[in-house]
Amino acid sequence: MDQITVFAPASVANVSCGFDALGFCLETVGDVFHIKKTDEKGIQFKEIIGQELPLDPKKNVAGVAAQALLNQYPANCGFEITLTKGIKPGSGIGSSSASAVGIVYALNELMGLGLSKRDLLPFALEGEMLASQAAHADNIAPALLGGFTLVRSLDPMDIASIPSPPELYAAVIHPHIELKTAEARKVLSKTVAFKDSIQQSANLGALVSGLYSADYNLISRSLEDLLVEPKRAPLIPHFGEIKQAALDAGALGAGISGSGPSVFALTQGKETAQKTANAMAHVMQATSIPFDAFVSAINSQGTLTMNVDEIL
Ligand code: HSE
């Protein structure tokens, strides 16, 4: 194999009650990598399409993740990369994670290393750390593995995959303002009240249970964030109204996607997801902030190789 095209999906981290631990994979939005082997060694970004990002591999997330892999598994060739960014950096739906997982997945395939997706996570994490200046794998794990994932530990990396019920859908609204993860982490408290920590753990446990048992009511009751949302909500214009609109439209729950500014909602069924996306969009239409909104099933596949038919 001397070239490959890979789709790396967007993802929603935190999912209200699972800060830095829980995340799920989206299916309609993502980045596409096209990578060719070259005789000249090293990583070279030929073009990044769709977003203004540095072509210097040391300064972009994908380059750093690739170098982490190559440090451990030196290649006898180089790689020329064309990256089409379908995810805007700073949008809150795992832009940096998609870049990090897409490239390590592609290099593993091109070099025939035979590493599993789980083996690739630590390399992707190194790239992700460049963007958020903190180690968290709650976007890279679902983006690479698909479905819902829970990061129990980063060192050693211990990731649990959690099933999701078939009728579970997400509605996402992305207000076009940039909110850097590093900035959104600065507003968080260093300590939390013991009773809030207990309730947050109970919500997370119950959410996982609801996902296993397809208990949509339990999922709904568990989508509550006592620790992070109250601190970050003021960073997102109209967050309260967007969330209320989603709940009024029948969503099971809604919250900040990752570190924002995107807002996600989970619903039972695609029709309710569409209604929810429309309701959230309606709030945004009354503002001067451009946005986009979309509906997605939970993507169970994660990062994958695209075949020629899909590309043409
Ligand atoms: N868990 C991280 C945060 C996700 O909320 O800061 C960042 O995308």
Side-chain angles (χ1 to χ4, degrees):
M1 190 191 281
D2 61 7
Q3 56 180 300
I4 192 170
T5 302
V6 163
F7 177 71
S11 52
V12 171
N14 300 338
V15 204
S16 296
C17 51
F19 180 70
D20 273 3
L22 192 63
F24 66 85
C25 188
L26 294 165
E27 70 171 12
T28 35
V29 182
D31 291 351
V32 176
F33 280 91
H34 184 67
I35 306 185
K36 283 184 191 167
K37 282 184 181 171
T38 56
D39 293 335
E40 197 186 326
K41 285 194 180 183
I43 310 156
Q44 191 209 332
F45 280 86
K46 186 179 166 203
E47 200 180 358
I48 299 181
I49 301 161
Q51 300 297 331
E52 291 280 322
L53 288 170
L55 292 175
D56 179 349
K58 290 191 191 68
K59 293 191 180 147
N60 77 52
V61 165
V64 171
Q67 198 54 56
L69 182 77
L70 293 172
N71 288 347
Q72 193 149 333
Y73 298 97
N76 55 11
C77 63
F79 302 94
E80 182 194 83
I81 301 153
T82 303
L83 167 58
T84 305
K85 285 293 298 175
I87 317 173
K88 208 172 154 47
S91 57
I93 50 170
S95 176
S96 52
S97 297
S99 292
V101 301
I103 198 157
V104 294
Y105 174 95
L107 294 190
N108 180 45
E109 297 294 311
L110 276 178
M111 291 161 71
L113 295 176
L115 299 173
S116 71
K117 282 184 166 182
R118 280 168 189 265
D119 294 335
L120 293 172
L121 284 169
F123 307 113
L125 184 63
E126 286 201 36
E128 168 75 299
M129 280 170 70
L130 177 77
S132 61
Q133 291 155 35
H136 52 84
D138 51 343
N139 281 113
I140 59 165
L144 193 53
L145 303 174
F148 274 79
T149 57
L150 185 92
V151 183
R152 193 204 63 79
S153 153
L154 279 179
D155 188 16
M157 204 170 264
D158 188 2
I159 313 278
S161 285
I162 298 160
S164 56
E167 288 177 65
L168 197 65
Y169 277 78
V172 178
I173 191 136
H174 168 214
H176 292 187
I177 55 168
E178 190 179 356
L179 189 50
K180 288 198 160 68
T181 296
E183 295 303 316
R185 292 180 84 86
K186 284 186 190 152
V187 303
L188 302 179
S189 300
K190 296 260 183 296
T191 57
V192 298
F194 193 45
K195 69 173 183 16
D196 289 345
S197 153
I198 292 166
Q199 185 59 56
Q200 191 92 348
S201 308
N203 284 338
L204 179 56
L207 177 55
V208 171
S209 173
L211 290 168
Y212 265 96
S213 57
D215 184 338
Y216 293 95
N217 289 327
L218 183 59
I219 292 170
S220 178
R221 295 197 299 280
S222 310
L223 287 169
E224 177 195 37
D225 178 1
L226 281 80
L227 305 182
V228 177
E229 188 179 293
K231 301 282 177 197
R232 285 180 171 172
L235 303 177
I236 302 168
H238 310 284
F239 172 75
E241 292 159 70
I242 298 168
K243 179 173 174 173
Q244 194 55 51
L247 297 176
D248 292 346
L252 300 168
I256 301 169
S257 174
S259 55
S262 289
V263 178
F264 81 98
L266 284 172
T267 68
Q268 181 175 2
K270 192 173 182 179
E271 216 177 291
T272 309
Q274 195 55 62
K275 221 175 126 191
T276 300
N278 293 344
M280 295 196 291
H282 189 69
V283 174
M284 291 305 298
Q285 275 151 6
T287 75
S288 57
I289 304 167
F291 67 93
D292 51 72
F294 62 93
V295 160
S296 171
I298 310 302
N299 172 353
S300 61
Q301 287 184 290
T303 302
L304 45 77
T305 306
M306 293 172 81
N307 63 39
V308 177
D309 294 343
E310 286 172 302
I311 300 158
L312 294 178

